[in-house]
Amino acid sequence: SNSFCTLLLAMSAPAPSKKQLAAAAAAAEAEAEQAAADAAKLGLVQKVLGRTGSRGNVTQVRVKLLAEEGRDAGRMIVRNVKGPCREGDMLALMETEREARRMR
């Protein structure tokens, strides 16, 4: 009988409205976006190494990571960048573990 009472209580609670569901979804999305922005590490393009990709639509660059502390402090890595890019640009890197293969 106890589980029946719990079931009745659950059924009697009002269902959330579409506005409440939309607000909750928007809040969760904003929180995820903020967490992703916190996770991104900044890097400064030091040198453009060349174009790569089957159509030359990717630029290979050497990036200096701007982390103040930790194991990434001052590290230089090679990354592939899609879209316009030149020396002195800032990149927001979601992860810094992988490096691009060097062009031949």
Side-chain angles (χ1 to χ4, degrees), residues 81-94:
V81 178
K82 189 169 183 177
C85 179
R86 60 183 180 207
E87 289 181 25
D89 282 357
M90 298 284 282
L91 298 179
L93 304 171
M94 298 311 290

Side-chain angles (χ1 to χ4, degrees), residues 64 74 103:
K64 181 175 180 162
M103 292 183 350

Side-chain angles (χ1 to χ4, degrees), residues 32-61:
E33 198 173 296
Q34 181 63 37
D38 291 342
K41 296 200 173 44
L42 291 178
L44 185 67
V45 175
Q46 297 287 315
K47 185 175 184 184
V48 175
L49 301 175
R51 306 288 286 196
T52 183
S54 60
R55 296 181 189 88
N57 57 346
V58 177
T59 309
Q60 195 162 77
V61 296

Side-chain angles (χ1 to χ4, degrees), residues 3 6 8 16 26 31 34 36 53 58 62-66 75-76 78 85 89 92 98 103:
S3 62
T6 307
L8 279 178
E31 192 173 308
Q34 181 63 37
V58 177
R62 177 167 288 123
V63 179
K64 181 175 180 162
L65 298 178
L66 299 178
R75 237 175 93 209
M76 299 276 278
V78 175
C85 179
D89 282 357
R98 292 183 294 151
M103 292 183 350

Side-chain angles (χ1 to χ4, degrees), residues 1-16:
S1 85
N2 193 15
S3 62
F4 182 71
C5 290
T6 307
L7 179 62
L8 279 178
L9 283 173
M11 289 172 54
S12 66

